[in-house]
Amino acid sequence: MLDENKVVVAMSGGVDSSLTAALLKEQGYDVIGITMQIWPSDEAPEDNEGGCCSLSAVNDARRVAHKLDIPFYVVNFQDSFEETVINNFKNEYAQARTPNPCVVCNKEIKFEAFLRKAKELGAYYMATGHYAKIERTAERNLLKRATDPKKDQTYMLYNLTQEQLEHTLFPLANYKKTKTRKLAKEYGLKRVYNKPDSQEICFIPDDDYPRFLKEHYPDIIEPGPILDLEGNKLGEHDGLPFYTIGQRKGLGLETHKRWYVVELDADNNAVIVGDNEDVFAKELIAKDLNWIATAKLTEPKEVDAKIRYNAPAAKATIYPIEDKVKVVFKEKQRAITPGQSIVFYDGDLVVGGGLIKE
């Protein structure tokens, strides 16, 4: 029997998860803190102030738990993380797609493996420091944008299932980041209240993707031709994983014309380049869909759609096609990138989302 007064907080050593634990304890919950060890300790950075995988981050989380007088554990999720997040990262790049490992981590680790661990400890709830709202109705558990649009993280959370939403708390849903830091300081969380936000992927703390791929997966990197849209060879590329749709700089082409990457052709190991207008498109196909506001999309629906985390939402109509959707934008969008997520909104409500296939 799960205890509805018990909650396990995913503590990264940052200000958001630290304040989450403090707020829940003040609200009367029986709080347990867990830091997920997801990267081999011999490869984790020792001191990465903004990161969530470093040894200093674990120590910061432990200090906060001690300050709050709550139980604290470090739980090993290394195998699961490598099997899901790291392998997906490698496989997507190997197929000339641009992955979003944070989306995969939320789906497979933070709200799947972590929730299982929380339930093993008898907790009805798990909690994180994400900025997003959960609204529970008689029909469905809904996901909505956070109060602070600058911090809203619903784009990264579109894969949450009804079961996961039922057992998740987001205490920071209505806070702005300035308020979060102010409260953390008032709670006496001295080392974390002004800690910088993590900007990079946790397992690549220096944000150097090429270095990481060269060191760990050299077999997926193969030089090949750079072609224009007519198939004329303009030069050589260093490996498809080093390029992304819309890229202009770093192509190494000896020409006065400005070329932009418009396609990564995995079948022919070719980078296809064209003019800037060739980077824009009005339609896409999305797969691996998850619906939150509805059980299934049965008819066309007008939505606001985001094709990347920092992109503004754009007006679009989505059309169900078997297990996929066709997305038609009102205006052309720049650099629609296979492998990235697309998330559909109806106002502040997250309708659902999926992966951009083509």
Side-chain angles (χ1 to χ4, degrees):
M1 189 73 175
L2 300 179
D3 184 349
E4 293 192 27
N5 195 54
K6 183 178 286 188
V7 56
V8 178
V9 178
M11 299 184 68
S12 67
V15 62
D16 296 326
S17 60
S18 298
L19 183 63
T20 292
L23 290 172
L24 290 170
K25 181 173 182 184
E26 187 176 72
Q27 291 169 19
Y29 284 96
D30 179 6
V31 179
I32 299 171
I34 285 183
T35 293
M36 296 180 287
Q37 185 178 346
I38 55 178
W39 197 233
S41 57
D42 59 338
E43 296 188 37
E46 290 187 11
D47 189 15
N48 179 23
E49 282 298 312
C52 62
C53 292
S54 66
L55 298 178
S56 64
V58 175
N59 289 332
D60 284 344
R62 182 178 284 110
R63 290 188 191 98
V64 169
H66 179 75
K67 171 74 175 177
L68 299 176
D69 192 26
I70 62 173
F72 175 76
Y73 308 98
V74 178
V75 179
N76 190 327
F77 288 93
Q78 289 178 23
D79 290 344
S80 298
F81 189 78
E82 183 170 0
E83 290 170 8
T84 56
V85 181
I86 304 292
N87 283 346
N88 174 269
F89 186 79
K90 177 192 74 171
N91 293 336
E92 288 291 280
Y93 269 120
Q95 296 174 67
R97 295 192 288 263
T98 304
N100 191 327
C102 295
V103 169
V104 179
C105 183
N106 283 336
K107 178 181 179 180
E108 303 290 348
I109 305 298
K110 289 182 181 175
F111 294 91
E112 183 65 30
F114 188 90
L115 179 57
R116 282 200 303 270
K117 177 58 67 175
K119 290 181 177 180
E120 288 174 10
L121 294 172
Y124 190 86
Y125 292 112
M126 63 162 282
T128 70
H130 284 97
Y131 289 82
K133 295 179 181 178
I134 296 174
E135 182 178 306
R136 295 178 172 88
T137 70
E139 293 79 26
R140 296 186 71 77
N141 296 309
L142 304 176
L143 182 67
K144 293 187 172 183
R145 297 182 199 258
T147 297
D148 185 354
K150 294 181 180 179
K151 289 299 296 180
D152 175 64
Q153 293 173 299
T154 50
Y155 176 89
M156 298 292 188
L157 301 169
Y158 75 88
N159 268 314
L160 291 184
T161 66
Q162 289 296 297
E163 169 75 5
Q164 290 165 345
L165 288 165
E166 173 64 29
H167 292 275
T168 298
L169 300 175
F170 293 139
L172 305 187
N174 295 309
Y175 289 170
K176 291 192 173 183
K177 191 61 180 249
T178 50
K179 178 71 170 178
T180 294
R181 294 193 183 281
K182 182 174 181 291
L183 285 175
K185 185 176 182 180
E186 291 174 1
Y187 275 106
L189 308 181
K190 298 178 181 178
R191 203 180 138 75
V192 302
Y193 81 87
N194 62 350
K195 198 172 181 180
D197 290 341
S198 176
Q199 301 294 332
E200 72 289 323
I201 293 175
C202 66
F203 57 89
I204 311 179
D206 61 0
D207 210 27
D208 190 343
Y209 292 44
R211 175 201 59 75
F212 179 85
L213 292 168
K214 285 177 183 176
E215 289 181 3
H216 294 273
Y217 307 108
D219 56 306
I220 72 171
I221 298 169
E222 182 181 351
I226 297 178
L227 309 175
D228 65 17
L229 291 170
E230 284 72 46
N232 300 307
K233 185 175 179 180
L234 303 177
E236 290 278 330
H237 67 76
D238 297 325
L240 294 184
F242 303 147
Y243 302 83
T244 189
I245 306 299
Q247 178 178 335
R248 179 176 71 84
K249 296 181 179 180
L251 299 180
L253 298 177
E254 295 181 1
T255 172
H256 295 297
K257 180 176 179 177
R258 287 188 172 185
W259 294 99
Y260 298 80
V261 176
V262 299
E263 182 186 350
L264 300 176
D265 183 351
D267 291 338
N268 298 299
N269 189 36
V271 172
I272 312 300
V273 297
D275 296 323
N276 184 48
E277 55 261 35
D278 297 319
V279 180
F280 288 79
K282 201 170 184 179
E283 300 181 3
L284 65 84
I285 301 295
K287 62 175 185 175
D288 297 343
L289 301 162
N290 183 60
W291 302 107
I292 295 178
T294 182
K296 186 179 181 181
L297 185 72
T298 57
E299 59 186 14
K301 181 176 178 61
E302 293 185 357
V303 297
D304 298 316
K306 290 185 67 169
I307 59 172
R308 61 181 63 86
Y309 180 63
N310 289 319
K315 297 291 182 184
T317 303
I318 52 178
Y319 300 87
I321 307 174
E322 297 179 348
D323 61 342
K324 303 177 182 66
V325 293
K326 179 180 180 180
V327 183
V328 180
F329 291 95
K330 187 174 181 180
E331 298 180 358
K332 286 186 175 183
Q333 302 297 301
R334 189 179 192 279
I336 295 173
T337 305
Q340 288 288 288
S341 296
I342 180 167
V343 180
F344 312 122
Y345 294 86
D346 183 355
D348 287 337
L349 178 66
V350 178
V351 177
L355 286 179
I356 297 172
K357 180 177 185 288
E358 57 191 43

